[in-house]
Amino acid sequence: MAEASTVLPPGRRALVMTVTMAATMIVVLDTTIANVALPHMQAALGATPESVAWVLTSYILASAVALPLTGWLSDRIGRRSLFTVALAGFTVSSAVCGIAVTLPMMVAARIAQGLFGAFLAPMSQAIMYDINPREKHVQAMTLWGMVIMVGPIMGPVLGGWITDNYDWRWVFYINVPIGTAAAFASWALLADVERKARPFDLFGFLLLAAALSSTQLMLDRGVQLDWFDSTEIWIELAIAVGAAWMFVVHTATRAVSLLPRALFADRNFVTAIMAMTVLGGILMAGAALVAPMLQRLLGYPVLQAGLLTAPRGVGTMIGMLVAGRLSKYVDPRMTIATGMALLAASLWIMTGFETGMDDSLVLWSGAIQGVGLGFTVLPMNLLALATLPQRLRTEAASLYNLTRSIGGSIAISVTTALLASNVQANHVALGGAVSTTRAPFLNVGLFEQLGLRGESVLQMIDVEVNKQALMIAYVDDYWLMMWAAVLVMPLVLLMRGPRPGAVAPPPDAH
């Protein structure tokens, strides 16, 4: 029997798309918008630099744990109810974040934000796919992809502007009017899909939650605790590996599991989540590295550093629009391959960054990288869900978003750890090269003549060595990201490509 159609008439469809995109925007913005406000929060909440990081960690951790529940809850209580309750909960917890006066209060509110917000992005993706007819799927996924990709990139820019001109609390308050309006509108406009009395795989959920929580804690606290010199990190690694292995065995052998096994029988979906883990890592690590590099090494203020990264977001929008047009004429696998090549090329350009460069290298590399991401992510979004039946799309979308989030967390932790270790190694190497053999004027006689000013000269040399060591460490991270983009390219060959213009599947029959 064919599944009931959920395609909406044009007027109502436009309203529903506006509501779902508004909900998605405030959620994805909150993954990065608070980053630049952390120093201000630290002072207001009486936190230490280490403890205030929980403002970010708690949100990501809660989102990762809640994401796998999306499909089961949607079936159990209905899509409209879950979407509206999630929006309302996210809005209320955002308001509590804004009025928080202590760090525990802020972290509790951010956990609630992450739990409620986790449901909105995958549900919005499934809703956008279901309410549009086949011929509109490309446009719908273009719009959804723009919000998902551009939101984290523009978050630091918007957060910096709000913090500089108003108060850090408005980083959270801006969610309240948007979320309130969207919650009322979603209840009025969304139609429920058929509810199913589906059993809940509690043991599978607990295993997955343990694996995700331990992995996230290990990644977030690894740098602070010097990684595997810490007993805590070893414990978290053991729990993550053990729980993940048990979850895989449990899912493979249980008749009813948290994640339907049918998802993993679809070659396009499995390939897409593998690629998106890497691409999500490049997206998030790029955003986490470039803006701080511009501030620390080139001396740009927060807002200007954010504006210099804006071409990445503009390029992403342009890339998605062009990719959407090309989908009518070109095999989406070719578009994905082109996007990955542009992505790798932009990272290769970034390996040429140096302390004396001007703005143009940052602007051009960011724009090219944005176009590459747009070319890659839009057709990847389409192919990921195109061959799945409608009944699996909510769960597929939640897992797809989860892999992007995990990829981002892993990439940020790995690049941050490499940055810290490579700075030390580069400082030793560069410091050893500063000798009278290579620079004869740096002799004892010179420092004796300079007297007290000789100490200042040595400090200036050390500052320059530190600066160059840090620049080389950033370049090392860009090399790593470039090779990751190159290595993921062959995955395109595993995907089944539909005929140009026939991206979406026919209604599922079963």
Side-chain angles (χ1 to χ4, degrees):
M1 184 177 67
E3 290 178 354
S5 173
T6 53
V7 175
L8 299 180
R12 186 175 175 185
R13 187 194 314 149
L15 291 173
V16 171
M17 289 172 68
T18 301
V19 170
T20 54
M21 287 301 92
T24 306
M25 176 59 81
I26 58 176
V27 170
V28 296
L29 273 176
D30 267 50
T31 60
T32 58
I33 196 173
N35 294 28
V36 295
L38 280 184
H40 301 271
M41 293 185 202
Q42 181 184 331
L45 302 175
T48 64
E50 291 76 22
S51 61
V52 79
W54 280 99
V55 173
L56 305 180
T57 302
S58 56
Y59 181 86
I60 297 171
L61 189 60
S63 297
V65 171
L67 262 170
L69 289 173
T70 308
W72 181 82
L73 282 173
S74 179
D75 283 347
R76 189 75 178 181
I77 68 174
R79 180 180 284 178
R80 182 178 70 163
S81 299
L82 179 57
F83 197 85
T84 305
V85 168
L87 254 176
F90 185 85
T91 303
V92 171
S93 54
S94 294
V96 176
C97 286
I99 63 174
V101 292
T102 64
L103 184 63
M105 183 179 179
M106 171 63 83
V107 170
R110 285 288 278 175
I111 290 173
Q113 253 197 326
L115 290 173
F116 287 114
F119 306 128
L120 294 174
M123 288 187 71
S124 69
Q125 185 180 11
I127 289 169
M128 292 283 281
Y129 214 106
D130 290 344
I131 66 174
N132 282 278
R134 285 182 58 187
E135 63 273 14
K136 295 290 185 182
H137 280 178
V138 172
Q139 293 94 319
M141 287 299 100
T142 300
L143 180 59
W144 184 85
M146 281 184 182
V147 173
I148 287 292
M149 298 297 291
V150 175
I153 296 171
M154 299 307 295
V157 181
L158 182 60
W161 183 81
I162 291 173
T163 303
D164 286 346
N165 290 279
Y166 297 98
D167 183 83
W168 66 264
R169 296 181 184 277
W170 280 98
V171 166
F172 301 107
Y173 287 149
I174 62 170
N175 294 334
V176 176
I178 300 172
T180 302
F184 281 108
S186 66
W187 182 257
L189 294 170
L190 286 177
D192 256 339
V193 295
E194 183 184 353
R195 301 186 189 186
K196 302 170 187 174
R198 209 172 115 192
F200 180 56
D201 181 13
L202 178 61
F203 185 57
F205 171 70
L206 292 175
L207 287 174
L208 186 58
L212 293 173
S213 301
S214 298
T215 300
Q216 191 64 56
L217 284 171
M218 180 182 70
L219 293 172
D220 285 337
R221 292 178 56 77
V223 174
Q224 300 173 30
L225 301 177
D226 200 19
W227 290 102
F228 297 108
D229 287 339
S230 165
T231 303
E232 178 188 326
I233 298 299
W234 278 108
I235 293 172
E236 288 161 356
L237 176 63
I239 294 173
V241 172
W245 173 250
M246 290 174 68
F247 177 76
V248 170
V249 174
H250 175 78
T251 302
T253 56
R254 185 180 167 90
V256 178
S257 58
L258 185 66
L259 299 175
R261 287 195 295 275
L263 289 177
F264 304 101
D266 188 281
R267 191 171 71 192
N268 271 17
F269 179 71
V270 171
T271 304
I273 61 175
M274 290 168 63
M276 188 48 63
T277 302
V278 177
L279 295 172
I282 292 173
L283 171 68
M284 298 302 292
L289 288 173
V290 176
M293 182 199 75
L294 293 173
Q295 295 172 58
R296 295 171 67 182
L297 285 173
L298 304 182
Y300 288 103
V302 172
L303 183 57
Q304 192 174 353
L307 291 173
L308 280 175
T309 64
R312 193 166 178 247
V314 175
T316 301
M317 289 190 287
I318 293 172
M320 286 190 166
L321 289 171
V322 174
R325 295 281 184 179
L326 289 175
S327 67
K328 298 178 182 179
Y329 314 104
V330 180
D331 188 325
R333 292 174 298 178
M334 292 295 296
T335 309
I336 292 172
T338 303
M340 288 180 173
L342 288 172
L343 183 59
S346 71
L347 291 163
W348 178 75
I349 293 172
M350 292 169 69
T351 62
F353 281 2
E354 58 184 17
T355 55
M357 66 181 177
D358 58 19
D359 297 349
S360 61
L361 202 59
V362 179
L363 295 171
W364 278 109
S365 62
I368 294 170
Q369 186 170 129
V371 173
L373 286 167
F375 267 44
T376 303
V377 172
L378 172 64
M380 191 77 74
N381 290 345
L382 289 163
L383 291 181
L385 301 186
T387 50
L388 288 169
Q390 180 182 319
R391 60 190 168 80
L392 293 177
R393 283 184 196 151
T394 300
E395 269 134 334
S398 65
L399 183 56
Y400 188 71
N401 282 271
L402 177 61
T403 57
R404 189 185 68 250
S405 176
I406 291 172
S409 296
I410 292 173
I412 289 173
S413 296
V414 169
T415 53
T416 302
L418 286 175
L419 191 70
S421 62
N422 286 343
V423 165
Q424 298 176 2
N426 294 334
H427 186 278
V428 171
L430 291 174
V434 180
S435 63
T436 55
T437 304
R438 293 175 179 267
F441 61 89
L442 294 177
N443 53 58
V444 177
L446 173 65
F447 292 111
E448 288 178 350
Q449 293 174 17
L450 291 173
L452 294 176
R453 286 178 294 179
E455 184 71 23
S456 299
V457 171
L458 287 174
Q459 289 176 355
M460 291 171 61
I461 293 172
D462 187 58
V463 167
E464 186 61 28
V465 168
N466 285 330
K467 190 175 181 181
Q468 295 299 331
L470 182 57
M471 185 75 257
I472 295 170
Y474 274 113
V475 168
D476 289 340
D477 275 353
Y478 300 142
W479 275 113
L480 176 65
M481 292 161 65
M482 186 202 78
W483 283 114
V486 170
L487 292 174
V488 81
M489 286 183 189
L491 289 177
V492 179
L493 300 175
L494 299 178
M495 304 190 85
R496 291 193 303 248
R499 297 184 311 276
V503 182
D508 178 55
H510 57 86

